């Protein structure tokens, strides 16, 4: 008899993934402008460090929230005792209003339908526990956030079946891809309980198109399954076409109080939009009362600290602050995004056109020795160990095409970003020469095969294109 | 309509649609009664007094004073603001080093510095609730079981079992020997489980005990350690009430001390669950701790802690507070003193009307013996009496059956979650009730004549009348706690 559980001894926690290995390397040799200027620059962490000064200045102006006081009176005792899993009413109100504001007030949210959780990590796991049995599956478009392997599968026993998206149409979800995923699930004898999408997407940094969202609503209606929309990056949309929440689509289609309405659930968090990952503030929003009830009880396993709820209720209730923050944050993200894109361009590297997120989905296929994941890993190791940049390889995000990398831009200073681009350019310059020399030695047969394959791809793409981008 | 409902239910998992959350237990019903009619000294002086919540309110003003004098503890104050960015950004599941150091030191101090704790073994969790679930996920597979001595905290039914699929097998401890845990009972429970093909993965003890308020003596602890070593199963010790020990007669012995001295014990089997919710009175801050002597469990639990990390803002506050040695020592001593005083006042008040309690030396509650007031020694009679206590005496206490107590008639009564005045009122209500309803008044020693002279006026109100009314009446802008 094993001493520990199966869960403890398996590796479904996903931490053997390269996504985490890169962090480990970074931690051994972290870049510091002064103390370690040749260290590894962290570009694998989707953090938003661009707008802390806005938060700090609000705090400096609002001492009450800071000192457990309201109107000069100490409320320490009340807060210290407050463990009601329904959450602090003032905080929930402020949170749903903030969520609404982010969506241009095109949709409103009801405080009775929101459940507070310890980060989006906990929200996603909790939804799995509520919606699926062990051995059942959720469909996820690839590439997807590596943490989902742990959050959705590890302790729940739920499976993930990928909806393969490719660069041929900007990695958008297509009906064919969803059908193929369904067939794959069938082959694996897995019952599909729902679809989970991240919108805006991690790692793509793009917002989902109305076509894709409508497609999803069609699918879940037809198949009688759930849709979870992880909208953790909803406040990071910095340029057009703008953010369309799944709730907006449902409203447009007059889905209120239909069965499909009850099967759509949103996950949110303040870790990305407000840059507060340490505070562990996540939320589940569901139109289904039973899901809300079950998830609320489950939140006992990961409630949000009352101290934090109180601070944030004061912060988010200040509408002047939130309005300013949302717009200023977007401005800064847009600027920073532009800097990364132009820096990459200078190195001859392009990325997926994106309008959101804290990262770019970078195309380094032309730098691969061969169109394989081994070559991707080889390139990645060079970038981590030699170029000293920790970026995330596409394979860790389950991308089906080798050569894509997620590169974060919002978790460092502008100078550090500049330096990282300089390093990258130097690296690309050095290997382009090598690659060029190598390819001259390659047989013509190979290059012919490649162009034939490309031609075949293009044909099949035209067959199935449905998206607008 | 019916189709729509069942269709809807099918869309949820069995876990979500079932009642494994345990909230149908009478433990929670009393709260519902309280919430619909909560006592308030001026606004609702005839309301129900909450005595079903094991909270520690006795030393909050000490903490408030400390906070006023240490603004740096908050990252949002002028003094602490420079740390805001770093802390707000910190989501490393190892936790802030200063937090782990401070908690390890605190745990040692609470045990009179008889043992030290390694900060690297401190793993965070979403309260002790999250800690227990995580430990179960680490140690057991669905269908496996833990042995738990009765009576035990009702929340375990949810925490250990709900989402994990793990079972709980009771180790029957009853009033005939003051609910002591015996090796015979442990062995019997183990054998019975074996016969039913239930795989036992470990033993779970709460020490000091909830609801008994007693702690295990050294010999019993050593016996339990031998037992689990012999069977090669785990021992999970919930020491959440460690600092609520108020006796001077004997010392609380932590499992940490036992294995420190016992080199034969396989340390890979030993795990401690802790929290600041009871000792410091901070349930709202969700500071749960898993402390395991098994490296693999530490590693696994740490990864799982992603699902319930302590807010870094709170970690910072706790780190600063618990690093202040002077404050901590003063707090621990003063807290024990106040709990002792409250305990004494309450037990004395009860004894004056012939109500006895299990002799206890820890915890935030008394294990009250009312079996002599039962019409018959059944759980139905216990429930009927409980209805009366809520409805007529207007006190929310917790019936022993919700703790899986093998003997009817016992109730857990919390005494540390109210001020002195409210306690006096609670006692006076009990006194009037006893004087009104029981013919003979017997000084505490004998409990013989009760059954004959008993004439309780039983309310005809049914349990259902107390069931959840959807609106909660908040006494403060914050809604009152539930768990």
């Amino acid at each position: 008899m094993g001493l520990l559980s199966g869960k403890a001894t398996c590796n479904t926690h996903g931490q053997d993934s390269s996504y985490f290995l890169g962090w480990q390397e970074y931690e051994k040799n972290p870049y510091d402008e002064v103390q370690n200027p040749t260290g590894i620059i962290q570009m694998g962490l989707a953090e938003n460090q661009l707008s802390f000064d806005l938060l700090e200045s609000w705090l400096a102006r609002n001492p009450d929230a800071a000192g457990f006081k309201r109107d000069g009176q100490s409320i320490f005792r009340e807060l210290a005792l407050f463990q009601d899993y329904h959450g602090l009413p003032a905080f929930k109100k402020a949170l749903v209003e903030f969520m609404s504001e982010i969506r241009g007030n095109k949709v409103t949210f009801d405080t009775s339908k929101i459940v507070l959780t310890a980060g989006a990590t906990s929200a996603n796991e909790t939804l799995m526990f509520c919606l699926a049995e062990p051995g059942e599956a959720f469909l996820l478009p690839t590439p997807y956030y590596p943490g989902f392997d742990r959050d959705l599968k590890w302790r729940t026993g739920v499976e993930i079946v990928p909806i393969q998206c490719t660069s041929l149409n900007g990695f958008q979800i297509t009906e064919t891809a969803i059908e193929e995923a369904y067939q794959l699930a069938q082959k694996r004898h897995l019952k599909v309980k729902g679809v989970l999408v991240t919108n805006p997407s991690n790692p793509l940094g793009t917002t989902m198109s109305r076509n894709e969202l409508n497609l999803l609503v069609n699918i879940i209606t037809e198949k009688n399954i759930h849709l979870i929309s992880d909208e953790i990056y909803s406040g990071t949309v910095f340029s057009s076409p703008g953010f369309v929440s799944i709730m907006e689509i449902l409203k447009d289609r007059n889905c209120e109080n239909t069965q499909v309405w009850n099967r759509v659930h949103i996950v949110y968090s303040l870790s990305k939009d407000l840059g507060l990952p340490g505070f562990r503030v996540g939320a589940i929003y569901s139109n289904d009362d039973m899901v809300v009830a079950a998830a609320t009880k489950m939140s006992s396993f990961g409630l949000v600290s009352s101290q934090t709820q109180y601070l944030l209720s004061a912060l988010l209730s200040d509408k002047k602050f939130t309005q300013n923050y949302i717009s200023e944050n977007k401005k800064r993200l847009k600027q920073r995004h532009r800097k990364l894109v132009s820096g990459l361009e200078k190195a001859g590297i392009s990325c997926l056109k994106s309008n959101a997120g804290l990262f770019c989905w970078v195309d380094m296929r032309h730098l691969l020795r061969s169109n394989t994941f081994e070559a991707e890993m080889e390139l990645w190791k060079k970038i981590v160990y030699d170029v000293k940049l920790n970026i995330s390889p596409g394979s860790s995000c389950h991308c089906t095409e080798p050569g894509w990398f997620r590169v974060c831009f919002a978790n460092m200073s502008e100078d550090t970003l500049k330096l990282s681009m300089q390093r990258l350019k130097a690296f690309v310059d050095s290997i382009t020469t090598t690659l060029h020399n190598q390819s001259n030695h390659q047989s013509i047969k190979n290059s012919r095969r490649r162009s034939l394959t490309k031609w075949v791809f293009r044909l099949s793409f035209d067959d199935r294109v449905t998206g607008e981008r | 309509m019916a189709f729509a409902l069942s269709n809807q239910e099918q869309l949820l998992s069995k876990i979500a649609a079932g009642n494994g959350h345990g909230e149908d237990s009478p433990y929670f019903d009393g709260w519902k009664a309280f919430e619909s009619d909560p006592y308030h000294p001026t606004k609702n002086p005839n309301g129900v007094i909450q005595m079903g919540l094991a909270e520690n309110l006795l030393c909050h003003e000490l903490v408030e004073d400390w906070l006023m004098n240490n603004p740096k503890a908050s990252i949002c104050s002028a003094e602490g603001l420079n740390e805001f960015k770093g802390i707000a950004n910190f989501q490393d599941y190892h936790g802030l080093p200063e937090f782990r150091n401070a908690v390890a030191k605190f745990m040692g101090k609470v045990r009179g510095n008889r043992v030290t704790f390694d900060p690297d073994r401190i793993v965070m969790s979403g309260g002790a609730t999250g800690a227990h679930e995580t430990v179960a996920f680490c140690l057991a597979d669905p269908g496996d079981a833990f042995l738990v001595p009765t009576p035990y905290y009702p929340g375990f039914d949810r925490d250990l079992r709900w989402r994990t699929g793990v079972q709980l097998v009771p180790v029957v401890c009853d009033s005939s020997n003051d609910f002591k845990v015996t090796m015979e009972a442990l062995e019997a429970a183990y054998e019975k489980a074996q016969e039913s093909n239930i795989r036992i993965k470990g033993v779970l003890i709460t020490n000091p005990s909830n609801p008994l308020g007693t702690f295990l003596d050294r010999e019993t602890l050593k016996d339990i350690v031998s037992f689990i070593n012999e069977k090669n199963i785990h021992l999970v010790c919930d020491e959440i009430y460690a600092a609520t020990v108020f006796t001077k007669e004997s010392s609380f012995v932590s499992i940490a001390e036992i294995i420190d001295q016992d080199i034969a014990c396989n340390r890979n089997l030993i795990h401690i669950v802790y929290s600041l919710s009871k000792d410091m009175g901070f349930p709202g801050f969700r500071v749960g701790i898993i402390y395991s002597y098994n490296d693999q469990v530490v590693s696994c639990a740490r990864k799982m802690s992603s699902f319930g990390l302590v807010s870094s803002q709170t970690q910072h506050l706790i780190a600063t507070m618990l690093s202040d040695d002077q404050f901590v020592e003063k707090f621990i001593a003063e807290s024990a003193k106040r709990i002792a005083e409250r305990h004494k006042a309450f037990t004395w008040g009860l004894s004056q009307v012939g109500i006895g309690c299990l002799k206890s030396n820890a915890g935030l509650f008394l294990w009250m013996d009312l079996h002599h007031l039962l019409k018959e020694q059944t759980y139905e009679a216990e429930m009927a009496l409980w209805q009366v206590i809520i409805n007529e005496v207007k006190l929310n206490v917790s019936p022993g059956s919700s703790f899986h107590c093998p003997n009817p008639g016992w109730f857990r009564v919390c005494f540390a979650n109210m001020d002195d005045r409210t306690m006096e009122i609670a006692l006076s209500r009990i006194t009037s009730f006893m004087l009104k309803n029981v013919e003979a008044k017997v000084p505490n020693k004998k409990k013989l004549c009760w059954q004959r002279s008993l004439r309780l006026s039983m309310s005809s109100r049914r349990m259902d009348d107390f069931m959840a009314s959807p609106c909660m009446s908040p006494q403060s802008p914050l809604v009152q706690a539930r768990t």
Side-chain angles (χ1 to χ4, degrees):
Chain A
M1 169 175 89
L3 193 63
L4 302 186
S5 66
K7 292 178 178 74
T9 46
C10 69
N11 63 359
T12 316
H13 50 71
Q15 283 193 213
D16 303 331
S17 148
S18 49
Y19 183 73
F20 297 96
L21 292 177
W23 282 9
Q24 285 169 24
E25 279 315 303
Y26 161 76
E27 261 148 31
K28 288 188 209 157
N29 180 20
Y31 168 81
D32 182 279
E33 205 178 344
V34 172
Q35 291 176 352
N36 190 16
T38 58
I40 300 178
I41 296 175
Q42 174 65 287
M43 306 189 86
L45 209 44
E47 281 173 0
N48 182 359
Q49 295 194 24
L50 303 186
S51 303
F52 272 122
D53 59 307
L54 300 178
L55 294 166
E56 283 161 351
S57 66
W58 184 90
L59 287 168
R61 292 192 309 271
N62 293 271
D64 267 6
F68 287 110
K69 290 203 188 73
R70 194 200 306 115
D71 306 327
Q73 294 282 82
S74 171
I75 53 163
F76 171 76
R77 171 176 293 217
E78 285 176 77
L79 278 181
L81 293 175
F82 187 81
Q83 55 175 329
D84 184 347
Y85 58 25
H86 291 96
L88 209 61
F91 175 55
K92 288 203 299 184
K93 179 168 182 286
L95 182 62
V96 300
E97 284 169 2
F98 183 68
M99 286 170 70
S100 189
E101 215 180 321
I102 285 175
R103 289 155 182 74
N105 292 311
K106 292 193 212 118
V107 280
T108 52
F109 296 94
D110 190 336
T111 53
S112 68
K113 298 186 175 179
I114 198 155
V115 181
L116 301 175
T117 62
T121 299
S122 177
N124 281 312
E125 189 196 43
T126 295
L127 273 176
M128 288 300 106
F129 273 124
C130 286
L131 304 179
E133 307 298 337
E136 293 181 337
F138 262 76
L139 307 182
L140 265 65
T142 63
Y144 63 76
Y145 163 56
F148 281 151
D149 289 322
R150 170 197 61 194
D151 302 348
L152 305 182
K153 301 193 320 179
W154 189 17
R155 307 191 308 179
T156 61
V158 171
E159 295 289 344
I160 293 176
V161 175
I163 299 172
Q164 315 281 25
C165 301
T166 74
S167 60
L168 293 172
N169 72 340
F171 295 94
Q172 286 189 76
I173 302 175
T174 64
E175 200 170 338
T176 315
I178 297 182
E179 283 303 327
E180 283 175 3
Y182 246 96
Q183 282 160 30
L184 181 57
Q186 250 189 336
K187 244 201 281 185
R188 287 169 61 181
H189 305 289
L190 297 172
K191 180 170 175 195
V192 176
K193 264 342 234 315
V195 180
L196 186 149
V197 300
T198 307
N199 179 28
S201 162
N202 173 13
L204 304 177
T206 53
T207 48
M208 283 183 87
S209 63
R210 278 180 186 272
N211 272 7
E212 286 170 285
L213 290 167
N214 275 303
L215 171 64
L216 287 171
V217 174
N218 293 343
I219 294 283
I220 66 160
T221 308
E222 179 202 322
K223 309 269 191 204
N224 202 28
I225 58 175
H226 294 275
L227 176 62
I228 298 174
S229 182
D230 184 342
E231 301 189 348
I232 192 175
Y233 290 98
S234 47
T236 67
V237 180
F238 49 78
S239 63
S240 62
F243 177 60
V244 179
S245 167
I246 188 69
M247 286 301 175
E248 207 186 312
I249 298 289
L250 289 175
K251 245 180 95 175
D252 289 347
R253 290 168 69 140
N254 293 317
C255 287
E256 276 116 320
N257 303 311
T258 61
Q259 284 197 359
V260 121
W261 178 254
N262 282 14
R263 292 202 304 273
V264 175
H265 323 279
I266 291 180
V267 165
Y268 187 55
S269 160
L270 297 180
S271 300
K272 310 296 179 184
D273 292 350
L274 284 187
L276 304 173
F279 288 179
R280 314 315 300 146
V281 181
I284 295 169
Y285 188 88
S286 173
N287 293 313
D288 186 299
D289 291 339
M290 280 173 72
V291 172
V292 171
T296 301
K297 293 180 177 71
M298 289 189 187
S299 68
S300 298
F301 299 112
L303 297 173
V304 179
S305 169
S306 57
Q307 178 191 19
T308 302
Q309 289 190 54
Y310 180 65
L311 166 67
L312 294 173
S313 74
L315 182 81
L316 296 181
S317 299
D318 186 341
K319 301 300 181 203
K320 218 168 125 206
F321 168 79
T322 55
Q323 273 170 31
N324 179 52
Y325 181 94
I326 290 173
S327 77
E328 185 59 28
N329 183 43
K330 282 185 195 178
K331 254 193 233 144
R332 297 180 187 188
L333 286 170
K334 184 174 186 174
Q335 220 176 32
R336 193 56 82 80
H337 168 265
R338 199 161 31 101
K339 290 213 149 57
L340 174 64
V341 171
S342 66
L344 289 169
E345 268 169 14
K346 289 198 186 82
I349 299 173
S350 66
C351 48
L352 184 69
K353 186 167 184 317
S354 64
N355 63 335
L358 308 172
F359 33 73
C360 282
W361 188 234
V362 176
D363 185 358
M364 299 205 204
R365 290 177 292 175
H366 59 296
L367 300 177
L368 293 185
R369 201 170 36 81
S370 60
N371 184 27
T372 62
F373 288 112
E374 288 74 29
E376 178 184 284
M377 273 299 108
E378 214 183 278
L379 176 60
W380 176 67
K381 284 195 183 127
K382 285 208 188 84
I383 296 179
V384 172
Y385 294 106
D386 299 342
V387 191
K388 305 270 186 62
L389 304 177
N390 178 35
I391 63 179
S392 311
S395 49
S396 69
C397 302
H398 301 276
C399 185
T400 47
E401 298 173 21
W404 292 87
F405 291 80
R406 190 191 77 169
V407 181
C408 299
F409 57 70
N411 64 314
M412 65 195 70
S413 71
E414 218 176 288
D415 287 340
T416 308
L417 182 61
K418 210 161 146 197
L419 173 63
S420 71
M421 291 298 100
Q422 284 164 3
R423 286 185 188 179
L424 193 57
K425 181 168 190 326
F427 168 70
V428 171
D429 288 343
S430 72
I431 65 165
T432 311
T433 327
T434 324
L435 267 178
H436 182 77
N437 291 340
Q438 273 182 359
S439 73
N440 281 343
H441 294 133
Q442 265 168 7
S443 72
I444 307 214
K445 211 162 59 163
N446 269 352
S447 72
R448 263 229 204 117
R449 195 186 301 137
R450 266 202 299 275
S451 12
L452 179 65
T453 320
K454 263 197 220 159
W455 183 73
V456 169
F457 271 148
R458 199 161 291 136
L459 257 187
S460 61
F461 162 68
D462 286 334
D463 269 344
R464 41 181 187 150
V465 84
T466 50
E468 60 193 15
R469 202 172 301 134
Chain B
M1 196 53 183
F3 172 77
L5 256 183
S6 71
N7 194 35
Q8 197 186 35
E9 272 164 8
Q10 268 173 37
L11 289 179
L12 294 187
S13 67
K14 295 197 189 78
I15 288 176
N19 62 0
H21 49 70
E23 286 189 24
D24 302 333
S25 151
Y27 183 70
F28 298 95
D29 289 345
W31 294 354
K32 293 166 188 165
F34 162 76
E35 273 156 14
S36 60
D37 180 22
Y39 167 81
H40 185 276
T42 52
K43 294 185 201 155
N44 190 17
N46 295 317
V48 176
I49 296 178
Q50 175 63 286
M51 303 191 84
L53 210 46
E55 285 174 336
N56 183 357
L57 269 72
L58 303 181
C59 287
H60 277 153
E61 101 283 359
L62 292 181
V63 178
E64 280 168 330
D65 285 342
W66 186 90
L67 287 171
M68 272 207 306
N69 296 322
N70 292 273
K72 225 176 166 270
S74 168
I75 48 174
C76 311
S77 64
E79 292 83 348
L81 195 51
N82 60 320
E83 290 196 84
F84 178 81
K85 180 172 167 173
I87 298 289
N89 213 39
F90 184 84
Q91 57 174 331
D92 181 345
Y93 62 26
H94 290 86
L96 287 171
E98 55 268 32
F99 170 75
R100 281 185 286 118
N101 290 339
V103 170
K105 204 162 49 140
F106 181 73
M107 287 172 70
K109 282 199 158 77
V110 164
R111 290 153 184 74
N113 290 317
R114 295 183 294 274
V115 275
T116 53
F117 291 87
D118 178 358
D120 289 337
R121 290 193 179 282
I122 300 263
V123 174
M124 297 180 289
S125 60
T129 300
H132 277 294
E133 191 195 44
T134 294
V135 169
F137 270 126
C138 288
L139 304 182
D141 291 313
D144 290 346
F146 275 83
L147 295 174
V148 198
T150 65
Y152 64 82
Y153 163 58
F156 282 159
D157 289 326
R158 170 197 60 194
D159 302 347
L160 272 289
R161 301 185 322 172
W162 190 21
R163 307 190 306 181
T164 60
V166 169
Q167 303 183 62
L168 291 181
V169 173
V171 176
V172 181
C173 307
D174 64 41
S175 55
S176 62
N177 72 337
D178 289 339
F179 301 96
K180 286 198 168 58
V181 180
T182 63
M183 287 308 109
E184 292 79 30
L186 258 182
E187 287 284 357
Y190 187 84
E191 292 308 321
K192 192 159 164 223
Q194 299 283 81
E195 280 158 30
S196 314
N197 276 322
I198 297 174
R199 192 165 78 171
I200 299 290
K201 272 328 261 299
V203 177
L204 168 65
I205 58 175
T206 306
N207 184 32
S209 161
N210 173 13
L212 303 178
T214 54
F215 54 79
L216 298 171
D217 58 66
R218 186 176 293 269
E219 285 314 305
T220 310
L221 271 171
K222 279 161 89 166
D223 285 343
I224 294 175
V225 169
S226 304
F227 174 82
I228 57 122
N229 267 281
E230 186 216 330
K231 310 278 192 244
N232 197 34
I233 59 178
H234 295 278
L235 178 59
V236 181
C237 300
D238 185 339
E239 297 192 347
I240 196 176
Y241 291 100
T244 67
V245 176
F246 54 80
T247 183
K248 295 218 172 26
E249 296 165 13
S250 52
S251 222
F252 166 65
V253 180
S254 163
I255 193 66
E257 297 171 57
I258 299 293
I259 63 167
D260 212 29
Q261 293 149 14
D262 180 2
I263 41 169
C265 175
N266 178 3
R267 293 161 81 94
N268 281 335
L269 300 173
I270 311 290
H271 324 276
I272 297 177
V273 164
Y274 187 57
S275 158
L276 297 184
S277 299
K278 311 294 179 184
D279 287 352
M280 296 219 69
F282 296 161
F285 295 167
R286 314 314 302 147
V287 183
I289 302 291
I290 297 169
Y291 189 94
S292 175
Y293 292 89
N294 181 318
D295 291 344
Q296 235 186 321
V297 173
V298 170
S299 170
C300 180
R302 187 168 282 140
K303 294 181 176 73
M304 289 188 179
S305 69
S306 298
F307 299 110
L309 296 172
V310 177
S311 166
S312 55
Q313 177 194 18
T314 302
Q315 286 186 52
H316 181 267
L317 171 72
I318 299 298
T320 316
M321 196 185 294
L322 298 186
S323 303
D324 184 341
D325 291 335
Q326 228 184 6
F327 167 75
V328 167
E329 276 149 31
K330 177 171 154 207
F331 181 94
I332 291 174
E334 189 60 28
S335 177
K337 184 159 157 270
R338 294 182 189 188
I339 295 175
E341 279 164 6
R342 194 50 83 77
H343 173 271
K344 191 166 160 199
F346 216 85
T347 45
W348 184 85
L350 291 176
S351 70
Q352 292 307 292
V353 284
I355 295 178
C357 301
L358 185 71
K359 186 170 183 324
S360 64
N361 38 24
L364 307 172
F365 32 71
L366 290 168
W367 190 231
M368 187 170 66
D369 184 2
L370 297 182
H371 84 278
H372 50 294
L373 298 182
L374 298 183
K375 264 189 153 166
E376 48 195 24
Q377 297 304 304
T378 62
Y379 292 116
E380 288 74 29
E382 177 183 287
M383 283 292 112
L385 174 58
W386 180 58
Q387 267 188 272
V388 171
I389 296 175
I390 293 190
N391 184 40
E392 293 190 15
V393 193
K394 296 293 196 82
L395 302 176
N396 178 35
V397 299
S398 311
S401 50
S402 65
F403 292 86
H404 304 277
C405 181
N407 314 101
W410 291 81
F411 292 82
R412 189 192 75 173
V413 184
C414 300
F415 56 68
N417 64 319
M418 61 192 71
D419 56 30
D420 288 332
R421 179 79 193 110
T422 310
M423 188 197 67
E424 282 164 26
I425 293 174
L427 276 174
S428 72
R429 286 183 185 181
I430 295 173
T431 307
S432 343
F433 172 77
M434 292 300 283
L435 293 178
K436 227 185 340 172
N437 288 288
V438 184
E439 281 181 5
K441 194 171 89 173
V442 180
N444 37 11
K445 300 270 170 69
K446 298 183 192 171
K447 26 182 196 177
L448 317 160
C449 314
W450 289 118
Q451 269 128 4
R452 260 188 327 219
S453 58
L454 203 53
R455 195 174 304 148
L456 283 175
S457 55
M458 300 295 235
S459 167
S460 57
R461 261 211 245 171
R462 286 160 22 86
M463 190 72 67
D464 297 344
D465 292 354
F466 295 110
M467 295 312 260
S469 71
C471 58
M472 294 206 262
S473 41
Q475 290 181 284
S476 75
L478 304 176
V479 176
Q480 285 296 319
R482 276 183 68 83
T483 48

